[in-house]
Amino acid sequence: MNGGNSYDNPIHSKLKQINTAWKIIRHRFIKQLFSSFLDLLPILVVVFVFQVLVIQQPLPDIVNLIVGTGMVILGLTFFIDGLEQGLFPIGENMAHAFARKGSIFWLLVFAFCLGFGTTVAEPALIAVAGEAAEIASKGGIIKDTPDARNSYTLGLRLTVGFSVGLALVVGVLRILRGWPIQYLIIAGYSGVVLMTAFAPPEIIGIAYDSGGITTSTITVPLVTALGVGLASSIKGRNPMVDGFGLIAFASLTPMIFVMAYGMFV
């Protein structure tokens, strides 16, 4: 009888661990689900108030609206949980690893590739670049052919990706050297103002929007994790003071490079 108990104890202990882990995951998921609902609630309230009280029309297709809202809440929940468990840790761990390795060259190469890769894959940039190519072809700026539109879209995405990669290189050097961020930001926006005076009017709006769409769902988590992880790994650097600011560079440089791209296309 005792032998049977000793045989069953490991199985019982394993099942208990699985049950405990499942309870923790379930509790965290429900908590994050409720938090996502609260994040989305102000948007729902605004839409409901303007639709019913201002426009004074009933909500169209209420069933699809409820289902769509539920899917958005679920998607936001999984996305945020994925950031916390996956992207943030891997970004910080790689920053720590490069800092311990002590190779500035490979750290800068990694920063550039990270900025370039995440930006080129940014869904918002893909959508806006495609829309810009469509409008440019209709406006006679480029030829109204699929090849011309695809070339314009790809060129715009690569330009923005390159500019963000370069911005992260500058941002990482700022963290390593301890440069004051305000001087770099002032110089950068001075460049934006200067380029605005010479760039074609058709590209200025796209350039300014490119600065915002590059800092979106994919880029921001990894870039933030890189900055905080790097500042935490370097002696004499404060993560709160030095770890943040990379996003500012990532949103600044695309404006300059896209306007330059527009001048030569």
Side-chain angles (χ1 to χ4, degrees):
M1 188 71 177
N2 291 335
N5 289 336
S6 63
Y7 177 78
D8 291 337
N9 281 338
I11 299 177
H12 178 74
S13 176
K14 191 68 175 178
L15 290 175
K16 188 175 180 181
Q17 291 177 4
I18 294 174
N19 187 48
T20 302
W22 167 247
K23 287 181 178 179
I24 294 173
I25 293 173
R26 185 176 59 187
H27 175 73
R28 186 178 64 194
F29 177 77
I30 293 174
K31 184 179 179 181
Q32 185 60 61
L33 191 68
F34 182 69
S35 176
S36 297
F37 171 74
L38 292 180
D39 291 338
L40 199 62
L41 185 60
I43 301 175
L44 298 176
V45 171
V46 169
V47 171
F48 180 81
V49 168
F50 276 84
Q51 181 74 22
V52 175
L53 300 181
V54 178
I55 303 177
Q56 295 183 348
Q57 292 182 359
L59 293 172
D61 204 347
I62 189 67
V63 175
N64 282 341
L65 181 62
I66 294 174
V67 172
T69 301
M71 293 176 67
V72 171
I73 294 173
L74 279 173
L76 188 60
T77 300
F78 285 119
F79 176 70
I80 293 176
D81 202 46
L83 291 182
E84 294 176 351
Q85 294 192 55
L87 292 186
F88 274 119
I90 194 173
E92 292 186 9
N93 289 338
M94 293 193 74
H96 286 302
F98 276 112
R100 288 195 301 269
K101 190 177 179 65
S103 174
I104 296 179
F105 172 77
W106 285 114
L107 176 60
L108 296 179
V109 170
F110 170 69
F112 178 85
C113 292
L114 179 69
F116 181 85
T118 55
T119 303
V120 170
E122 193 66 64
L125 177 61
I126 295 173
V128 171
E131 186 67 19
E134 190 72 25
I135 300 300
S137 64
K138 292 179 180 178
I141 299 173
I142 60 175
K143 293 181 179 180
D144 192 8
T145 62
D147 288 341
R149 288 193 294 270
N150 291 337
S151 177
Y152 187 88
T153 300
L154 180 61
L156 189 59
R157 289 174 60 193
L158 293 178
T159 300
V160 175
F162 177 83
S163 66
V164 174
L166 186 61
L168 292 198
V169 170
V170 175
V172 167
L173 284 174
R174 181 191 74 84
I175 295 174
L176 295 175
R177 304 302 183 190
W179 297 337
I181 189 172
Q182 60 269 27
Y183 299 126
L184 295 174
I185 295 295
I186 291 172
Y189 276 105
S190 298
V192 170
V193 173
L194 182 63
M195 289 296 296
T196 304
F198 297 98
E202 298 84 4
I203 200 67
I204 292 175
I206 298 172
Y208 276 56
D209 283 346
S210 298
I213 60 179
T214 52
T215 53
S216 190
T217 52
I218 298 178
T219 309
V220 169
L222 284 170
V223 171
T224 303
L226 171 66
V228 172
L230 186 61
S232 302
S233 305
I234 299 176
K235 187 177 180 180
R237 297 290 178 267
N238 186 332
M240 284 299 298
V241 176
D242 303 300
F244 296 91
L246 290 178
I247 302 300
F249 293 120
S251 63
L252 171 63
T253 53
M255 303 182 200
I256 300 174
F257 279 81
V258 170
M259 282 189 277
Y261 172 75
M263 294 172 65
F264 295 102
V265 171

